[in-house]
Amino acid sequence: MTLDERPALAMRGVTKTYVDGETTVTALADVTLDVFAGEMVAVMGTSGSGKSTLLAIAGALLAPTDGEIEVDGRPLGKLSARKLAQVRRERVGFVFQDYNLLPTLTSLENVALPLDLGGASSATARSEARRALAAVGLRERASSFPDELSGGQRQRVAIARAIVGRRRLLLADEPTGALDSVTGEAVLKGLRERADEGAAVVVVTHDARHAAWADRIVYLADGRIVDETRASQPESLLTGGTL
Ligand SMILES: Nc1ncnc2c1ncn2[C@@H]1O[C@H](COP(=O)(O)OP(=O)(O)O)[C@@H](O)[C@H]1O
Ligand SMILES: [Mg+2]
């Protein structure tokens, strides 16, 4: 397999059980999923179906109970805690519903933070952060603080922070949950553009219109993938399906 044929994210037979006192909850059961560079996958399912658990395991925030995960061909199960932290920092970007921006830092400083923490020089971190802010259309708001931005702008700063340093795997957990539908649509379009530029994107969403930006939709129920569809291609609809 060449480098480009290798999935950016590979999950094989991933199971996660939470033990909470006397009760055991199976949050994920035997999930197998590949996501390639340039691909955007939407994950849908009712509350409690395991979506957030899937994303946390994909991004090495949480260890599975069973199964294997590879990010850019690196098997996470074999890595030390220190190496896992490095994979998270260098290869994985997270976007959450509530943005998770630091209120005392400007947009630029928030976006540069992962690179600063990774030991990049301040000049490199800032120039990469400027590039990432420009990519989400926020070049002009680099010195604004989070409370000076709209919800949609804050979420775009969070996306810039997730893509800074050209990380290949972008994981978004209900990134539009706190936004109105027009702004939410713009955030999804931004994630779509990152995929078109070569990132592997996994986005959890409740909204079928948002999921329509993805190449594939994966449906979870009780921790299992129960269905998978390819999103309809607008081009093939226009040309009567002859591509
Ligand atoms: N830290 C935890 N401890 C115990 N149970 C948990 C924990 N996190 C999630 N769960 C349970 O795991 C299942 C899947 O949760 P989650 O992945 O958050 O689903 P979703 O994001 O689809 O709502 C749910 O039944 C939830 O209650
Ligand atoms: Mg969730």
Side-chain angles (χ1 to χ4, degrees):
M1 221 187 255
T2 71
L3 215 69
D4 284 341
E5 289 172 66
R6 197 172 64 188
L9 169 68
M11 304 179 80
R12 300 264 179 273
V14 171
T15 294
K16 177 69 184 179
T17 50
Y18 293 105
V19 180
D20 192 1
E22 307 260 287
T23 51
T24 303
V25 178
T26 302
L28 281 186
D30 196 22
V31 165
T32 290
L33 178 67
D34 282 340
V35 185
F36 291 85
E39 198 180 25
M40 179 173 177
V41 173
V43 178
M44 300 191 78
T46 55
S47 179
S49 58
K51 306 181 297 295
S52 292
T53 300
L54 186 153
L55 232 56
I57 290 178
L61 286 172
L62 192 66
T65 309
D66 200 4
E68 285 165 27
I69 299 98
E70 289 184 11
V71 172
D72 279 344
R74 280 167 189 70
L76 300 186
K78 297 195 169 75
L79 301 181
S80 63
R82 188 192 164 88
K83 288 277 183 200
L84 278 179
Q86 191 182 356
V87 168
R88 273 199 301 273
R89 207 167 49 222
E90 293 177 356
R91 302 184 181 273
V92 186
F94 288 97
V95 183
F96 300 99
Q97 178 171 344
D98 52 5
Y99 322 129
N100 280 356
L101 300 178
L102 295 177
T104 57
L105 301 185
T106 64
S107 301
L108 188 73
E109 290 164 346
N110 265 290
V111 174
L113 192 61
L115 302 179
D116 286 334
L117 293 175
S121 76
S122 170
T124 302
R126 280 167 177 270
S127 72
E128 292 280 340
R130 274 183 214 289
R131 186 205 306 271
L133 279 172
V136 297
L138 281 184
R139 192 198 304 266
E140 313 300 323
R141 305 313 300 264
S143 20
S144 301
F145 289 91
D147 68 2
E148 297 169 333
L149 302 172
S150 70
Q153 288 173 330
R154 282 182 217 174
Q155 195 55 302
R156 278 147 70 198
V157 174
I159 291 174
R161 184 185 52 189
I163 62 170
V164 74
R166 288 167 252 204
R167 281 170 285 175
R168 293 224 314 157
L169 180 58
L170 183 47
L171 305 173
D173 196 352
E174 302 192 39
T176 62
L179 303 173
D180 65 72
S181 64
V182 173
T183 314
E185 201 68 17
V187 165
L188 262 294
K189 187 163 178 278
L191 293 173
R192 174 74 256 172
E193 285 167 5
R194 303 285 82 76
D196 291 340
E197 285 168 13
V201 178
V202 184
V203 57
V204 170
T205 179
H206 283 301
D207 190 328
R209 283 166 306 171
H210 290 167
W213 287 97
D215 301 297
R216 275 191 291 148
I217 307 174
V218 165
Y219 297 89
L220 275 185
D222 293 329
R224 290 181 186 277
I225 293 181
V226 291
D227 199 5
E228 195 169 330
T229 57
R230 274 201 177 266
S232 56
Q233 301 284 332
E235 298 87 349
S236 67
L237 293 176
L238 287 172
T239 58
T242 50
L243 267 186

